[in-house]
Amino acid sequence: MTKKQSPISALPVSVEQLTRLQTAVDDFSSHQLAWLSGYLWGMVNQTPSVDTAANAPIAPEETVTIISASQTGNARRLSEQLRERLINEKINVNLVNAGDYKFKQIDKEKLLVIVASTQGEGEPAEEAVSLYKYLYSKKAPNLAETCYAIFALGDSSYEKFCQAGKDFDNQLAQLGATSLLERIDADVEYQTIADEWVDNLTQILKARVPAQSASQLLTTQAGSVNEIHSSPYSKTAPLTASLLSNQKITSRDSQKDVRHIEIDLGDSGLRYQPGDSLGVWFDNDPALVDELVALLWLQGDEDVFIGKQRHSLRDALIYQLELTQNTHLIVEKYAQLSKDDALLALISDKKAILHYAQTMPIVDMVRQAAAQPTAQEFVDLLRPLTPRLYSISSSQAESEDEVHATVGVVRYDIDGKARTGGASGFLADRLNEGDELRVFIEHNDNFRLPSDESKPVIMIGPGTGIAPFRAFLQQRDNDGATGKNWLFFGNPHFVDDFLYQVEWQRYVKDGLLTRISLAWSRDQAQKIYVQDKLREQGKEVWDWLEQGAHIYVCGDANRMAKDVEQALLDIISQYGSMDSEQADEFLSELRVTRRYQRDVY
């Protein structure tokens, strides 16, 4: 994660002293760190003239712990916003990634804030899975002494909107904790409601937590969130880069259109690591916008406002608003606007309206249910355009001033009309080599190669889930890592869909890729998937685990990742001689120690 922090050179300690200090307190809880801050201050200020209040250790109830449970970076950014606000109010605060949080000490927390994203079918962010499972386990403690607040982030286009945040809220209350204020369930356009929530929560905490002195806040300002200095570029201030290459890497006969995209970073200094994601801002297809404007019986030059900014309708639809992802809320609002009987009938049937939104693009909804809204009325229905994230498929150790992505192009037909995904169509169809695009790096410290390069690595990535493992192998190759590498890859057909085949074959020949297990689901009568290959090689997978192997899974969260996890549990149970509960605890321990990491979506 990123955070603002004074440079090391500005601290009154050497790098060696700071390292020793960090090592010494590595297993301290947030409250122990807070107490230590006051204790050390008291040691150097033991004179009668010093205010005794400054010497007093900071009590646990005077520390606010913020847990960031982030999937795409939004929860992390909001957590940092809250942290900065509380520090400005001189409130002692400890911000920690959910993946780094020592969750078995949660009953020591007096003031707890969780900013929680939701992924897949209502599941917690990957870094928060261990905390989530602990709170729902038999080992969960009584939290009667804990007061908490929850900010849930989600996407209303999914059925289980903000479900992870709702689950955290319900379970904390079930365990006896007291809510400080009502949970917020925020959609993709969350910043305005987040600002209000930060203000409200800050006022509540100010009334409960005494302001600290500057010295007592020193430990807080050093922080506990991992720091990455990549560049001045970010989601809100992206880099303008140029497209180097757009190469189709599935065959002409494949039912999939997968592109290898290369982007020139120039001399920007933008840095990334294997496991990070590339954020891509995109424009909507002008042809799609013109079709939509005509269906609405509008001209496109009408003035509309998005917030306080004035735009022409056509520009707003191309550059500002989401058109390729419908939601049940948009369907409901458009039904009321159009007075269409078929759409109005969907409002009372949650499953039906969700299915309709997931399968019917906005432009085709308008085609099927004609309406003549004003330009502003229609714009007010829509959500803001948001960037898409793609797993980076290159290592900077090899590609230097380039970044690569593996993009599955979304293509489908509605009533005989070809439709294309917003970002994937932008990258594959509407950008030419040399054209500019806006990009940023979303760092992911929960998907990292082992620091010990001698450790074995098992990589499971069907389809475009193979992307980060191309980066992993490039990095291991450049580092001269001695650990064994095993790749599980699957797709429909060997001939049509073997992504990066030549590269994997070269790695096998060179000895870098120790083993490769391939699952072609449509090349025989019986469908074979990566989880089947895992079970088939179960004894060897268990042997690698006993040798300290790290397991990585990338790809579809809803089906593949769940099926792979069940296969792993079965392997652990069978070859580790464990019952199902013991196997689950074993896998959970692998997750906690960062030996089982997933990048699923």
Side-chain angles (χ1 to χ4, degrees):
M1 294 186 70
T2 58
K3 68 178 180 62
K4 296 180 181 179
Q5 181 182 11
S6 301
I8 293 294
S9 59
L11 296 176
V13 293
S14 68
V15 173
E16 182 180 349
Q17 288 173 318
L18 184 59
T19 300
R20 290 204 308 271
L21 176 61
Q22 290 173 333
T23 301
V25 301
D26 182 60
D27 62 347
F28 276 40
S29 70
S30 59
H31 300 316
Q32 289 171 324
L33 287 170
W35 177 87
L36 183 62
S37 172
Y39 175 76
L40 293 174
W41 176 250
M43 284 181 63
V44 297
N45 290 276
Q46 292 179 353
T47 64
S49 60
V50 177
D51 184 356
T52 55
N55 291 332
I58 302 171
E61 61 269 18
E62 295 174 358
T63 302
V64 179
T65 294
I66 305 172
I67 298 177
S68 166
S70 190
Q71 188 66 25
T72 63
N74 291 333
R76 169 178 55 80
R77 282 183 281 269
L78 177 53
S79 297
E80 290 171 345
Q81 178 186 343
L82 175 61
R83 173 181 180 270
E84 294 303 314
R85 176 65 183 277
L86 295 180
I87 287 175
N88 289 338
E89 298 289 347
K90 293 184 168 49
I91 293 174
N92 200 58
V93 57
N94 178 47
L95 168 59
V96 61
N97 299 331
D100 296 327
Y101 182 66
K102 296 176 176 59
F103 52 81
K104 292 182 180 179
Q105 299 187 33
I106 195 169
D107 59 332
K108 306 294 192 301
E109 304 289 0
K110 302 301 180 185
L111 295 170
L112 177 66
V113 181
I114 299 179
V115 184
S117 291
T118 296
Q119 65 156 334
E121 296 180 339
E123 297 166 353
E126 188 61 29
E127 66 178 3
V129 171
S130 294
L131 171 61
Y132 181 94
K133 292 180 72 172
Y134 176 70
L135 290 175
Y136 275 89
S137 73
K138 297 176 182 177
K139 298 178 181 179
N142 183 291
L143 298 180
E145 300 299 316
T146 302
C147 294
Y148 72 94
I150 302 285
F151 192 99
L153 286 156
D155 183 334
S156 60
S157 64
Y158 289 89
E159 179 178 0
K160 296 184 179 179
F161 173 57
C162 286
Q163 189 62 47
K166 294 173 183 177
D167 288 348
F168 277 121
D169 187 13
N170 293 337
Q171 190 61 9
L172 288 174
Q174 192 72 25
L175 294 172
T178 302
S179 177
L180 290 167
L181 76 170
E182 187 176 355
R183 183 191 72 246
I184 297 294
D185 296 335
D187 207 344
V188 291
E189 188 179 7
Y190 67 90
Q191 195 56 60
T192 300
I193 193 171
D195 291 342
E196 182 180 348
W197 176 77
V198 168
D199 287 342
N200 292 340
L201 182 57
T202 299
Q203 296 308 313
I204 291 171
L205 292 173
K206 281 174 66 177
R208 302 179 68 102
V209 185
Q212 308 296 327
S213 68
S215 57
Q216 288 173 320
L217 287 168
L218 183 61
T219 301
T220 296
Q221 292 180 8
S224 62
V225 179
N226 297 330
E227 180 177 21
I228 297 175
H229 294 291
S230 59
S231 70
Y233 305 105
S234 65
K235 178 181 178 180
T236 53
L239 167 71
T240 299
S242 60
L243 181 70
L244 279 175
S245 176
N246 165 16
Q247 178 186 1
K248 187 177 181 182
I249 56 175
T250 45
S251 81
R252 181 184 305 172
D253 296 327
S254 174
Q255 294 183 345
K256 295 185 175 185
D257 182 355
V258 179
R259 304 298 177 101
H260 174 70
I261 302 291
E262 297 184 358
I263 296 169
D264 183 12
L265 302 177
D267 58 359
S268 65
L270 191 68
R271 307 301 300 171
Y272 61 86
Q273 298 181 58
D276 287 341
S277 294
L278 178 71
V280 177
W281 285 97
F282 65 97
D283 304 332
N284 286 311
D285 186 350
L288 176 69
V289 169
D290 291 341
E291 179 184 353
L292 179 58
V293 169
L295 289 169
L296 293 166
W297 289 290
L298 296 169
Q299 300 301 313
D301 58 357
E302 295 87 351
D303 284 340
V304 295
F305 284 88
I306 300 176
K308 296 181 180 180
Q309 296 294 318
R310 183 198 301 265
H311 306 270
S312 72
L313 172 63
R314 189 171 189 274
D315 283 352
L317 295 176
I318 292 176
Y319 304 114
Q320 302 292 327
L321 298 167
E322 180 67 67
L323 292 183
T324 54
Q325 289 185 345
N326 205 350
T327 75
H328 69 281
L329 294 177
I330 293 174
V331 175
E332 183 174 337
K333 292 175 182 176
Y334 186 73
Q336 294 167 344
L337 187 65
S338 66
K339 302 294 191 292
D340 181 84
D341 291 340
L343 290 183
L344 287 169
L346 292 173
I347 294 176
S348 59
D349 188 336
K350 184 177 181 180
K351 284 190 175 181
I353 197 171
L354 283 165
H355 177 74
Y356 181 88
Q358 290 167 0
T359 57
M360 186 61 63
I362 292 170
V363 64
D364 294 294
M365 175 181 70
V366 173
R367 178 185 304 282
Q368 294 180 4
Q372 287 185 280
T374 67
Q376 189 65 52
E377 283 176 331
F378 186 73
V379 162
D380 289 344
L381 298 177
L382 304 178
R383 304 190 302 171
L385 199 65
T386 55
R388 304 294 193 260
L389 296 180
Y390 296 99
S391 297
I392 292 174
S393 54
S394 58
S395 162
Q396 215 155 15
E398 184 161 316
S399 64
E400 297 182 346
D401 56 357
E402 298 176 10
V403 62
H404 302 170
T406 308
V407 177
V409 186
V410 178
R411 299 193 191 280
Y412 56 100
D413 287 342
I414 297 289
D415 296 334
K417 289 189 171 290
R419 300 301 182 200
T420 308
S424 63
F426 173 74
L427 289 168
D429 300 339
R430 301 199 300 282
L431 280 186
N432 297 312
E433 292 182 7
D435 285 353
E436 293 183 338
L437 69 162
R438 295 165 296 149
V439 300
F440 60 95
I441 302 299
E442 195 65 67
H443 297 291
N444 184 1
D445 288 326
N446 299 298
F447 204 72
R448 291 283 186 247
L449 281 165
S451 56
D452 184 346
E453 295 174 356
S454 69
K455 295 296 184 184
V457 165
I458 299 174
M459 301 163 286
I460 306 163
T464 55
I466 202 170
F469 303 135
R470 182 176 184 265
F472 277 22
L473 265 291
Q474 288 182 1
Q475 188 70 45
R476 299 272 273 186
D477 192 22
N478 279 271
D479 289 344
T482 58
K484 298 184 296 182
N485 302 291
W486 189 351
L487 174 67
F488 286 83
F489 172 69
N491 240 349
H493 299 286
F494 168 78
V495 173
D496 300 324
D497 307 306
F498 195 171
L499 308 184
Y500 303 112
Q501 177 181 357
V502 174
E503 294 183 27
W504 304 127
Q505 290 173 334
R506 186 180 73 247
Y507 284 143
V508 170
K509 181 180 178 181
D510 294 345
L512 178 67
L513 189 52
T514 315
R515 299 190 64 165
I516 183 168
S517 297
L518 303 170
W520 308 111
S521 61
R522 302 299 191 275
D523 275 350
Q524 61 286 309
Q526 182 180 359
K527 295 177 182 178
I528 299 175
Y529 299 105
V530 287
Q531 58 268 26
D532 301 314
K533 287 294 180 179
L534 276 168
R535 287 191 171 90
E536 189 179 291
Q537 307 289 336
K539 179 61 169 64
E540 289 78 10
V541 170
W542 175 252
D543 289 344
W544 279 49
L545 282 175
E546 289 197 303
Q547 296 165 26
H550 289 233
I551 299 178
Y552 301 88
V553 181
C554 182
D556 172 56
N558 292 335
R559 296 189 62 180
M560 181 278 299
K562 293 178 180 178
D563 291 340
V564 164
E565 182 156 308
Q566 187 57 56
L568 290 172
L569 288 168
D570 292 343
I571 289 168
I572 292 165
S573 181
Q574 180 178 353
Y575 297 102
S577 300
M578 304 180 199
D579 60 28
S580 58
E581 186 173 337
Q582 291 170 324
D584 187 65
E585 289 183 0
F586 182 90
L587 193 60
S588 293
E589 184 61 25
L590 291 185
R591 195 190 298 270
V592 169
T593 56
R594 303 296 176 88
R595 285 181 56 199
Y596 175 44
Q597 299 181 48
R598 306 193 310 172
D599 181 12
V600 296
Y601 39 84

